[in-house]
Amino acid sequence: MAKMIKKDKVRELLDKLANEKFDIFAPIGEDGITLYRKLGAETPLLNFQNSSKPPKEIFFPQTEKMFDITVENHRLVGATEPPMASNPILLFGARPCDMRAMKVLDALFTWDYTDPYYVNKRERSTVISFACTLPDMPRESCFCTSVGGATDSREGADMLWTDIGSEFVVESLTDKGGKILELGGNLFTEATPDMQAKAKQVSQEATEAISRKLDTEGVKEALEATFDNAYWDEFSARCLGCGICTLLCPTCHCFDINDLVVEGKASRERTWDSCQFTYYTIHASNHNPRPVKKHRQRNRIYHKFLYSEKNLGLLGCVGCGRCIYGCPVNIDIIEVVEGAKEVLK
Amino acid sequence: MSENIYKPHTATITDIQLEAGGARPIRTITMQVDDPEVRPTFFHKPGQFALISSFGTGESVFAIASLPNKDGIVQVSVMKVGNVTSKIHELEIGDKVGVRGPYGNHFPLEEWEGKNIVFIGAGIGISPVRSVYQVALLPEERKKFGNITLIYGARTPADLAFKDEFKELDTRDDMNLWLCIDWKFGPKGPTGESSAEGWPAINMAAPGETVIPEGVNKFTCFVPQLVEVVKPDPENSIVVTCGPPIAIKFITQALEKLGWKSDQIYTTLENRMKCGIGKCGRCNIGDSYVCKHGPVYTHEQVKSLQNEF
Amino acid sequence: MIDFKALEAEIKATAKKWLESGEVKFVIGYEKSPESPIARPFFAHTPEDTEKLYWGPDCINNLTLYLVEEMKKKPKKGQPPFTHAVGIVVKPCDSRTIVELMKEHMVPRERVKIIGVISEESINPDKLYLALKNVPASQRRNIRFHDAGENFRITYQGGELSVPKKELEADKCKVCVVHKAVIADVFVGTGEIEFKPDDFSDIKELEEMSEEERWKYWEQQMSRCVRCYACRDACPLCYCEECVFDREKPYRWVEKSVQVRENSFYHLVRAMHLAGRCIDCGECQRVCPMEIPIRQLNRFLIKKAKDRFKVFSGMNAEEKPMFGTYDLDDPGEEIK
């Protein structure tokens, strides 16, 4: 059943999809890092270390206009939604961990109330995941296999492509994936059994190359028991209080809503926020429920490993390792969580 | 596509009352939702909150202070502390605001029939408390409950909100009213050795031993001490309290001293919120989202939450 | 040849002595992380803790950040002001930060005890990751550096490799002019290292661009900013009690919108606030997850301060801050 596509045919496929009005987002190299950008005529990266910023921004942009604020008689009087687009979106080349993270966002943004901005973009989207393969992936901070993921996880994807050298083995997982096969036509051909075996093998090799492990057994108990422990002071002492760990996290979803007036035009927009920022929780009275770094780091860890599961039924960490890789002072989520377990012992 | 959950409904301000002056004035703003079809959706239960927008400045969370109604009338008491609240204080009758809600859980008044209720408000915390006692004091509701006591304190006499209303409540014989202002903000200066005129001091070292002069129901002290002076009886009773986190802490301690159990004490928590519907993050106390699981909690529930207020 | 182990031993011994005598409340230094290839900040509170102190060319963080944090702490109401001293391990560049902080009265001399390490250049973590690319991830543990003349001999779990020092050198080190701490209580290490005059050739290309070209360049860079504020939070000289970019009352100076207009406003204002102060420790650029060349902005202003005001920050604690003085002979064509 599996198909394959030659690497040198990928651009041709993307051209076809662009003709079908797909907005294509794909990994692009920029000044030494990988980012998902809206694709023009350039060729996307086919081999890459995972992006610095997760592709969640395609569905949940860092800054998004929610309303235009309408003016009558020089007074701001109401909110009008900007029109929602309806053309299809293609996320090409997502890493499996990042698509597992979308499950968390899907649950959050439909938790009792449906978020129209996010859901609109999700419904319009088709996702082609790239299985992680050597040598670019996994990175030294990857630990997806410890939190239920896999280098070739199919969760949240419509297609899974596995790089076996000069071609990808292509597996369609949903009707949307089937549609891509249909649109690609003869660019996709049957994958030989050898190719399929190779795909399995490279995924296996990538899995074995994951060196970081987190034993999630007993984590919840440890966190529940250590909330007031001095342990949380210790490791957060070196925290800078910056927002790297949260802003680069594929499951983090906190946002701020603000009105702004620019050149006489008022609008309401939302922008990612971070629980690591002092101002995130501060009351108008200046009282702050989480006044110091310890509280804020602790909230991040607890949210991932305790609160998310309680509220959404899903672990809030997919093991992408960005918070480990990106932290300027090496606050390592695996070490922190394992450390909490040690404290309990 | 269904209704955009973030979209505020336009409402027109129909009344503005200056409730308290002082450094942080309080205004009660009454508004009516413009769209007649939307109006009935604002029927709320006491304790729920709404998000009010001053378009172009932002949106803030307020406890709904009005009586539940199907006419889309929403009343909130606004203390001038931040950007949005300052802007709201500048608005005039006829101005447009945005409103969405009601959100959150509510006080289970229906479960309290036959019980005595003690309402305790500190500072702007009186606003959510008021949303409950207003309902309980309605003629058809009042008979469902036993004794009703109301305890309220603010920083200075000027900071006391709803003065006219309290004058009226003071004349009612189906409830007891107790007021206080902070010791250290008395008119004789901040040194604390004196009380404000007409507001006698209490025995701060042992508030419970204060002898209440005949006919006096207002004192110079903090709300928790006033609770110890009043000594509400926990038997078959419920407390509804709200105020700054530090005040709530000491109020519950005072109540516990008097033998109150934590499941008899209801409070409404406030945390910074942006979305009001469990998406934007910031209002969580442990795994509990104040906007969804709250804002009304019993003190027993509060104690089970992570210690992060 | 530098014996990193020997330097480490000296650091440990000094820190231990200070903690035992009670001269300092704690010592801010580096420890080796179990997983990361580079060292991380560490606080030794007891003499036993000093065993964990580490030294190597991968000691990159500018630790003076934590020194300011400690100095900013205020006692509870009614309590006497804090007077305790703190020990700190500094590289030559970082020592200039302390001078600058003393100039600005953020760190009283008597409240800091400094271990100044005479060192060769630090490494660039990105370049290190690149050099380690062919080492399987599972073996990138227990990474240690050994001086082998022109090369670093890097040992890791189950192997070693040799990398030319020049290939790992952090960019800031290429233009460094101090190879010995400008202020210290104890110097660790020996050796005279040659000064290399800084000709600012690294920003020449940028300076020669037309205004339009330069704006286009920065537009592209600023478009990537995620506003994590790590550049600010990692900067020891960004110590304001309340940063103007966090400020919400009575109004926001910069919108939270992540777009070129707001992002560049943030970066340019921050750069201006550091003009004549920045000592080019390079932390802002190192911590940036989006690889924005923030140092270039600072370098540009360092050059301006040097050329026009004859100011070179962080060398002399007796000098007055550039923005704190006015001289009739100051240049200022723009404001005349």
Side-chain angles (χ1 to χ4, degrees), chain A residues 30-31 33 62-63 140 211-212 238 240-243 256 258-259 269 271 279 284 293 328 330 335, chain C residues 33 35 40 61 65-66 69 129 138 140-141 220 224 226 228 233 242 249 252 256-258 286:
Chain A
E30 192 176 303
D31 289 305
I33 57 174
Q62 184 161 7
T63 295
E140 52 269 37
S211 61
R212 301 298 309 274
R238 66 176 184 273
L240 300 178
C242 77
D256 196 0
N258 284 303
D259 284 11
E269 60 170 36
T271 293
Y279 285 74
K293 291 184 292 189
N330 190 228
E335 194 188 341
Chain C
S33 137
E35 296 291 345
R40 67 186 184 195
N61 302 62
L65 165 85
Y66 302 108
E69 192 178 291
Y129 279 112
S138 57
R140 285 176 218 163
R141 291 212 170 94
Q220 172 72 17
R224 287 205 300 272
V226 291
C228 64
D233 295 334
E242 188 189 28
K249 289 192 270 184
R252 293 185 295 275
K256 293 191 173 178
S257 325
V258 175
R286 178 185 74 87

Side-chain angles (χ1 to χ4, degrees), chain A residues 6-292:
Chain A
K6 292 249 174 231
K7 279 186 176 171
D8 56 15
K9 296 287 182 198
V10 167
R11 186 63 247 186
E12 204 176 317
L13 173 72
L14 294 174
D15 286 338
K16 278 193 178 192
L17 297 175
N19 280 339
E20 296 292 326
K21 302 280 178 267
F22 271 95
D23 273 341
I24 302 170
F25 294 87
I28 296 291
E30 192 176 303
D31 289 305
I33 57 174
T34 307
L35 289 172
Y36 287 89
R37 295 268 201 194
K38 195 168 170 181
L39 199 69
E42 67 271 49
T43 304
L45 296 174
L46 299 180
N47 300 89
F48 55 94
Q49 291 212 320
N50 204 0
S51 63
S52 296
K53 209 176 170 189
K56 72 174 178 190
E57 64 173 325
I58 296 160
F59 312 106
F60 174 39
Q62 184 161 7
T63 295
E64 181 167 34
K65 181 152 70 163
M66 304 177 85
F67 303 106
D68 285 309
I69 291 173
T70 42
V71 182
E72 261 172 39
N73 299 327
H74 308 290
R75 298 218 154 190
L76 303 162
V77 294
T80 322
E81 299 149 88
M84 298 254 182
S86 57
N87 60 319
I89 293 171
L90 174 69
L91 167 51
F92 178 81
R95 289 299 180 192
C97 55
D98 289 337
M99 293 327 291
R100 290 191 69 231
M102 295 310 293
K103 294 263 171 188
V104 177
L105 298 193
D106 288 349
L108 184 274
F109 282 120
T110 54
W111 187 24
D112 294 350
Y113 297 90
T114 299
D115 184 295
Y117 306 96
Y118 175 85
V119 169
N120 167 281
K121 291 196 251 321
R122 275 294 273 160
E123 282 173 352
R124 291 194 278 134
S125 68
T126 302
V127 176
I128 298 178
S129 280
F130 279 14
C132 290
T133 50
L134 296 167
D136 299 292
M137 294 298 282
R139 287 201 297 206
E140 52 269 37
S141 50
C142 288
F143 62 104
C144 64
T145 46
S146 295
V147 285
T151 54
D152 58 352
S153 167
R154 287 146 176 85
E155 280 181 74
D158 297 298
M159 290 184 119
L160 181 76
W161 290 21
T162 308
D163 182 347
I164 55 162
S166 50
E167 55 272 296
F168 287 99
V169 170
V170 172
E171 196 181 328
S172 171
L173 305 163
T174 64
D175 291 348
K176 283 178 174 175
K179 179 83 180 157
I180 301 289
L181 284 181
E182 198 182 297
L183 292 169
N186 58 10
L187 293 174
F188 293 104
T189 55
E190 294 298 320
T192 65
D194 276 357
M195 287 175 176
Q196 292 179 51
K198 182 83 196 283
K200 270 207 173 121
Q201 187 203 331
V202 293
S203 290
Q204 184 59 33
E205 281 167 6
T207 304
E208 282 162 13
I210 293 177
S211 61
R212 301 298 309 274
K213 300 276 183 292
L214 168 66
D215 183 4
T216 50
E217 177 94 35
V219 167
K220 270 182 255 171
E221 294 74 12
L223 294 182
E224 266 163 4
T226 58
F227 190 84
D228 292 313
N229 197 287
Y231 171 69
W232 299 100
D233 288 289
E234 282 165 34
F235 91 84
S236 60
R238 66 176 184 273
C239 175
L240 300 178
C242 77
I244 291 179
C245 49
T246 48
L247 293 173
L248 302 189
C249 174
T251 67
C252 271
H253 51 254
C254 290
F255 58 86
D256 196 0
I257 300 176
N258 284 303
D259 284 11
L260 64 163
V261 183
V262 177
E263 288 162 8
K265 287 209 167 99
S267 57
R268 177 163 294 174
E269 60 170 36
R270 69 171 167 197
T271 293
W272 295 354
D273 205 343
S274 167
C275 60
Q276 300 307 302
F277 295 156
T278 319
Y279 285 74
Y280 174 76
T281 44
I282 204 161
H283 292 190
S285 65
N286 286 337
H287 168 73
N288 196 341
R290 292 199 278 269
V292 298

Side-chain angles (χ1 to χ4, degrees), chain C residues 36-285:
Chain C
S36 167
I38 65 164
R40 67 186 184 195
F42 174 69
F43 307 91
H45 287 272
T46 64
E48 297 76 55
D49 286 348
T50 59
E51 269 314 300
K52 283 193 182 164
L53 287 167
Y54 166 85
W55 184 258
D58 55 329
C59 290
I60 298 168
N61 302 62
N62 183 345
L63 303 175
T64 58
L65 165 85
Y66 302 108
L67 179 64
V68 198
E69 192 178 291
E70 184 65 18
M71 294 300 131
K72 277 166 72 181
K73 283 184 185 160
K74 289 190 182 77
K76 284 198 177 130
K77 251 188 193 160
Q79 299 292 313
F82 291 131
T83 53
H84 63 263
V86 172
I88 188 167
V89 180
V90 293
K91 300 190 291 293
C93 48
D94 302 341
S95 75
R96 288 178 58 201
T97 326
I98 300 184
V99 168
E100 206 54 29
L101 290 166
M102 283 165 55
K103 252 159 88 173
E104 297 171 10
H105 303 288
M106 287 307 290
V107 176
R109 181 67 187 90
E110 67 278 10
R111 291 196 63 196
V112 56
K113 299 266 290 178
I114 306 161
I115 302 176
V117 187
I118 296 168
S119 78
E120 272 193 290
E121 60 271 3
S122 302
I123 55 162
N124 177 330
D126 291 337
K127 293 178 184 172
L128 178 62
Y129 279 112
L130 208 62
L132 293 170
K133 204 179 165 202
N134 293 324
V135 177
S138 57
Q139 292 181 22
R140 285 176 218 163
R141 291 212 170 94
N142 302 325
I143 289 169
R144 291 290 186 282
F145 297 82
H146 312 272
D147 192 348
E150 295 289 300
N151 292 334
F152 279 126
R153 191 167 62 84
I154 304 174
T155 54
Y156 52 86
Q157 192 169 307
E160 65 171 69
L161 67 123
S162 185
V163 186
K165 286 180 178 173
K166 287 286 159 212
E167 268 180 34
L168 294 179
E169 188 183 32
D171 289 343
K172 63 164 179 174
C173 300
K174 291 180 185 159
V175 297
C176 179
V177 293
V178 282
H179 295 278
K180 184 177 176 182
V182 286
I183 186 168
D185 294 275
V186 170
F187 283 101
V188 165
T190 50
E192 283 299 314
I193 304 159
E194 229 180 294
F195 265 71
K196 294 169 275 188
D198 184 1
D199 58 3
F200 292 92
S201 54
D202 55 326
I203 55 164
K204 200 158 176 253
E205 197 186 339
L206 204 60
E207 280 184 307
E208 283 170 358
M209 283 182 189
S210 71
E211 221 168 279
E212 248 168 59
E213 284 172 325
R214 197 158 55 222
W215 178 239
K216 222 178 145 201
Y217 169 81
W218 281 114
E219 230 176 359
Q220 172 72 17
Q221 302 297 331
M222 294 301 166
S223 74
R224 287 205 300 272
C225 178
V226 291
R227 298 273 284 283
C228 64
Y229 297 112
C231 44
R232 174 195 71 186
D233 295 334
C235 177
L237 292 170
C238 264
Y239 54 64
C240 290
E241 284 292 343
E242 188 189 28
C243 176
V244 64
F245 302 110
D246 281 339
R247 196 163 205 171
E248 296 204 334
K249 289 192 270 184
Y251 36 72
R252 293 185 295 275
W253 285 91
V254 59
E255 291 297 344
K256 293 191 173 178
S257 325
V258 175
Q259 46 176 299
V260 173
R261 186 186 65 224
E262 308 298 326
N263 298 354
S264 38
F265 181 67
Y266 160 65
H267 283 283
L268 294 175
V269 171
R270 200 184 86 86
M272 280 306 289
H273 283 184
L274 287 168
R277 305 170 63 221
C278 174
I279 58 95
D280 196 17
C281 72
E283 281 291 88
C284 48
Q285 184 161 332

Side-chain angles (χ1 to χ4, degrees), chain A residues 75-76 79 81 108 111-113 115 117 254-256 259 268 273 279-280 282-283 287 290 299 310-311, chain B residues 4-7 10 53 55-56 58 95 271-272 274 279-282 284 286-287 289 292 308-309:
Chain A
R75 298 218 154 190
L76 303 162
E81 299 149 88
L108 184 274
W111 187 24
D112 294 350
Y113 297 90
D115 184 295
Y117 306 96
C254 290
F255 58 86
D256 196 0
D259 284 11
R268 177 163 294 174
D273 205 343
Y279 285 74
Y280 174 76
I282 204 161
H283 292 190
H287 168 73
R290 292 199 278 269
N299 183 66
K310 278 193 182 170
N311 285 321
Chain B
N4 185 333
I5 49 170
Y6 299 104
K7 188 171 177 175
T10 310
S53 293
F55 292 115
D95 279 346
N271 250 356
R272 191 167 190 194
K274 286 288 180 170
K279 317 266 183 236
C280 80
R282 75 201 69 233
N284 73 305
D287 58 8
Y289 281 66
K292 279 179 74 84
E308 207 169 58
F309 295 97

Side-chain angles (χ1 to χ4, degrees), chain B:
Chain B
M1 173 131 257
S2 60
E3 192 69 22
N4 185 333
I5 49 170
Y6 299 104
K7 188 171 177 175
H9 296 285
T10 310
T12 307
I13 296 181
T14 56
D15 186 44
I16 298 171
Q17 294 296 328
L18 181 65
E19 304 290 357
R24 300 198 293 180
I26 298 170
R27 274 169 201 256
T28 297
I29 314 280
T30 309
M31 64 203 80
Q32 185 172 30
V33 175
D34 290 345
D35 185 344
E37 281 181 25
V38 174
R39 286 173 183 171
T41 66
F42 277 87
F43 190 86
H44 75 282
K45 293 184 168 166
Q48 287 193 295
F49 62 89
L51 283 115
I52 310 291
S53 293
S54 162
F55 292 115
T57 307
E59 208 172 30
S60 275
V61 177
F62 300 98
I64 302 175
S66 34
L67 287 166
N69 66 84
K70 290 187 168 136
D71 304 321
I73 293 170
V74 180
Q75 195 182 63
V76 293
S77 292
V78 182
M79 183 188 262
K80 187 177 172 181
V81 280
N83 296 344
V84 176
T85 51
S86 298
K87 187 74 196 172
I88 291 176
H89 269 243
E90 288 171 17
L91 296 176
E92 294 167 6
I93 290 174
D95 279 346
K96 298 288 182 194
V97 287
V99 53
R100 61 190 176 96
Y103 297 130
N105 67 352
H106 59 275
F107 289 101
L109 265 176
E110 61 284 358
E111 294 171 15
W112 299 345
E113 284 191 22
K115 291 182 191 259
N116 308 314
I117 312 180
V118 182
F119 296 99
I120 308 174
I124 186 67
I126 191 64
S127 176
V129 173
R130 178 171 172 258
S131 73
V132 204
Y133 70 67
Q134 275 188 314
V135 174
L137 289 172
L138 288 172
E140 66 275 22
E141 294 286 325
R142 178 66 191 87
K143 53 185 177 240
K144 295 179 185 167
F145 307 104
N147 297 330
I148 290 186
T149 308
L150 172 55
I151 300 172
Y152 168 45
R155 283 187 180 175
T156 71
D159 286 317
L160 284 167
F162 313 113
K163 285 194 192 66
D164 292 343
E165 213 173 284
F166 283 118
K167 263 183 206 146
E168 202 189 309
L169 293 179
D170 209 6
T171 63
R172 281 179 79 139
D173 51 15
D174 60 351
M175 64 165 291
N176 295 307
L177 176 70
W178 301 88
L179 300 173
C180 69
I181 53 164
D182 289 3
W183 179 269
K184 60 179 176 177
F185 293 107
K188 300 246 172 82
T191 43
E193 70 283 302
S194 177
S195 58
E197 210 174 319
W199 298 76
I202 62 152
N203 180 349
M204 285 298 269
E209 288 163 25
T210 303
V211 181
I212 305 173
E214 184 65 28
V216 175
N217 67 343
K218 43 186 206 171
F219 300 92
T220 303
C221 64
F222 293 109
V223 177
Q225 278 90 27
L226 183 58
V227 171
E228 288 190 52
V229 172
V230 176
K231 298 191 196 61
D233 183 0
E235 183 62 30
N236 190 34
S237 302
I238 289 293
V239 156
V240 175
T241 182
C242 187
I246 187 81
I248 294 187
K249 185 179 157 193
F250 288 111
I251 289 168
T252 47
Q253 280 177 9
L255 289 167
E256 280 167 348
K257 260 196 240 171
L258 295 166
W260 287 76
K261 299 273 178 306
S262 50
D263 62 355
Q264 291 176 284
I265 305 169
Y266 284 78
T267 185
T268 147
L269 298 180
E270 303 249 318
N271 250 356
R272 191 167 190 194
M273 292 178 198
K274 286 288 180 170
C275 72
I277 46 178
K279 317 266 183 236
C280 80
R282 75 201 69 233
C283 72
N284 73 305
I285 300 170
D287 58 8
S288 187
Y289 281 66
V290 174
C291 69
K292 279 179 74 84
H293 303 112
V296 175
Y297 295 86
T298 63
H299 186 56
E300 191 173 21
Q301 290 168 326
V302 169
K303 283 203 287 195
S304 74
L305 295 176
Q306 310 285 27
N307 181 22
E308 207 169 58
F309 295 97

